[in-house]
Every structure is written in structure tokens, then in C-alpha cells.
Amino acid sequence: MNLARKVLAMLSLIPASSAVADATHYPLTVMNCGQEIHVSSAPDRTVTVGQSATEILYALGLEDRVVGTSVWFNPVLPQFRELDADIERIADNDPSFEGVVNRKPGLVAAQYEWHVGPTGSVATRDQFHELGIATYIMPADCDTKDNATGGDGTRTAAFSTDSIYKGIHELATIFDVQQAGDTLVDDLEAREEEAISRARDLDLPDDLSAVFWFSSPDGSAAPYVAGRLGAPGYLMDKLGIRNVIQSDEEWPTVGWESIARTDPDIIVIARMDRRRYAADSVEAKLEFLQHDPVAREMSAVKNGHIIEMDAHAMSATMRTIFGLETLVDALSTLSFDR
């Protein structure tokens, strides 16, 4: 039974009095990423701009409210594959403003502020609000983060999975499915705690270091690597791994010569279906690491300490918890004899 069906089954067991007590009172006002949003009733038509919002709505059992999706990095989670096949994918990457509006949504749920924000690549929030369409941006992309700095933004404090759980609870409240939100958060928190506990049992070296490589514009360009305060920074912090990249930017570009000088013990590379940049594919990343005269001399490459991870888990999303599990599983197979 997939997660959405489990949630719905659990909801059917909740006493009516409890369900009424937890019901959302409309009209609802929520402070979201610095703006008040107003929802007059539970949205019956939602367009998602970002895989994170899509999969959270699916996990809350709200797939019947989703009329279009966009911005995908990885295949949808296996438990949602069947239901996702019946929902229109407006675009693999950025949708057009018209493409979103034409679906007549009551709500646009976005993963990144740069898609739907002050300078949104799809549209600004005001443009949607002028048409009576509410917007919701996942808090993980704006809590403890300044997106006005350009690029992928700069973290003002370390990412925490609390922002993921906050987004789940707020979406559950907007759609009046609070019990489903509680169930999902409980499951994710349990998985997070279990992965961290397993990592402690691995007895990893105290001075273990890593770099997370998302992609590169072309073969000769400096790669996009994870800064110290984003989701990969959280993953490393929970496992006691030092990030060799100390920037507060979400995904700074750092030259391979600089990375090689830090000689990380582990290189984590993003696996994705997207093909926007030359190094999006795992194959291109591995080819570079094994043949570039600078990169191939790093200890992680020589020792085969290269870990693949879903790109979506490297972003501040529900899948970050799954990325924690991926990292622990991979580390359990590696030897770090010094």
C-alpha cells in the first residue's frame, strides 16, 4: 500500500469529533516567505512548480487536487508513479506563466522562490494574486535563506528539516488534512532519527570530509558544489562529516584546483534526469573525475569513494531525509583505513 493510501486509511479511523476539532477554519491567512496569503477554502485545483511541492501533496493524499506539475529533477517516488501518470506534466523544467494560469488553479505551490517570487522566472506572486490565484512557497527555500543575493541564494543560518515539516503542516492546514500531515511528519522524523542512529554505529573517522557536486555548466567550468549551510550541509553535519566548501551560498561555483587542495575523502554526485548542463548526468561526472588530470588525483577518486545521490535529495526537500539514508547505506560499504 502506498503512503497516500495508508494516510487515507488512517484518516478513516479517526473519530468524527477529532476530525472536527482539527478542522481548518476558512478564510485562512498564512504568513509564507514574508507575505500573507489568503485562502477562502481548501483549493480544489493546484499547480505545482517544483517536485518537492508535488510529492508532498501526493504524500498527503491530495493528488486529486493537482491539475499540473512542473520542474522535475528525478523520477517521481515509486509509490506515486501510478497516480502521477494521470496528472499533466506542464513542463519538465520551468513552465510558462500562461501554462500555469491556463490550468485555472486556485493555488500555485512552488518549491523555489526564484520561480515564484519578487523576480520570479515563471511569474511574481503579485501577478498570480491579481488573478485571484494564491501562491505558496515551500518554507525550506526562504526560512534561514536570502534569495535576493542572486543565483541559488545564500543561507543566513543552517537548513533544518524543521522547515520541511513546517511546509508539510502548513499545506495540510491549507487543504484541511491535518491528520495526514501529522502522519507524514511522524514517518519522516522516525526515518531521520533511525538514519542518524545507524550512522553512529558505523564508527566513522572523526576527520572525514566530503564535497557534494550537483552539476557544471560545461566540462571546463567550475562545478556547482554545496555550501556549508544548505541541505547537504545538514546531511554532513548529522553524520559528523566536514564539508570542504565553507561558503554560505547555496550552490557556489568552486574551481577543481581549490577542491583538490582540500582533498575530500568522499565525493557525492547528483543523479538526475534533467539535462540542462553538460555535467547533469552521472556518466559525465564520473568521466570527468576519472580523466581530468587534477580531479583524478584526489583521494576520493583514487579510493573509489564516490557516492551517487538523487539530486532532489540534495535540495531542501522531503527527500533530504531519504538522502540521509542513502548516505548512511553507502558509507556502510566503504573502508576508511588511514
Side-chain angles (χ1 to χ4, degrees), residues 202-205 207-208 265 299 303 305 334-338:
L202 295 180
D203 194 27
L204 298 170
D207 58 347
L208 206 59
D265 297 299
S299 298
N303 295 328
H305 291 172
L334 302 181
S335 173
F336 296 100
D337 294 334
R338 300 290 178 85

Side-chain angles (χ1 to χ4, degrees), residues 163-319:
S163 63
I164 302 298
Y165 303 143
K166 174 183 175 182
I168 292 170
H169 282 306
E170 288 183 344
L171 282 172
T173 300
I174 288 170
F175 285 91
D176 196 15
V177 291
Q178 288 87 332
Q179 186 62 41
D182 291 342
T183 300
L184 177 57
V185 169
D186 287 347
D187 176 68
L188 292 171
E189 286 182 328
R191 292 179 69 165
E192 182 180 15
E193 292 171 7
E194 172 65 17
I196 293 170
S197 176
R198 286 173 51 212
R200 294 194 193 102
D201 294 337
L202 295 180
D203 194 27
L204 298 170
D206 293 336
D207 58 347
L208 206 59
S209 63
V211 64
F212 277 60
W213 178 17
F214 193 84
S215 190
S216 303
D218 59 61
S220 61
Y224 296 110
V225 290
R228 68 188 183 97
L229 298 177
Y234 153 84
L235 295 174
M236 287 181 269
D237 179 67
K238 290 301 180 185
L239 302 186
I241 299 171
R242 177 175 59 85
N243 187 354
V244 301
I245 307 300
Q246 288 297 295
S247 172
D248 292 349
E249 291 182 47
E250 192 85 336
W251 291 99
T253 55
V254 181
W256 282 111
E257 293 81 3
S258 297
I259 296 171
R261 281 195 293 271
T262 68
D263 199 24
D265 297 299
I266 303 162
I267 299 174
V268 184
I269 59 176
R271 177 178 56 239
M272 68 186 88
D273 285 3
R274 187 195 77 171
R275 293 294 181 267
R276 178 178 291 180
Y277 296 129
D280 277 354
S281 73
V282 163
E283 293 76 16
K285 292 184 180 77
L286 292 175
E287 173 75 15
F288 176 86
L289 291 173
Q290 291 161 1
H291 295 95
D292 180 78
V294 173
R296 70 188 183 193
E297 295 302 318
M298 291 189 289
S299 298
V301 179
K302 289 183 174 181
N303 295 328
H305 291 172
I306 300 172
I307 298 172
E308 297 179 24
M309 179 181 292
D310 282 352
H312 203 45
M314 291 188 184
S315 294
T317 68
M318 178 173 71
R319 285 208 194 188

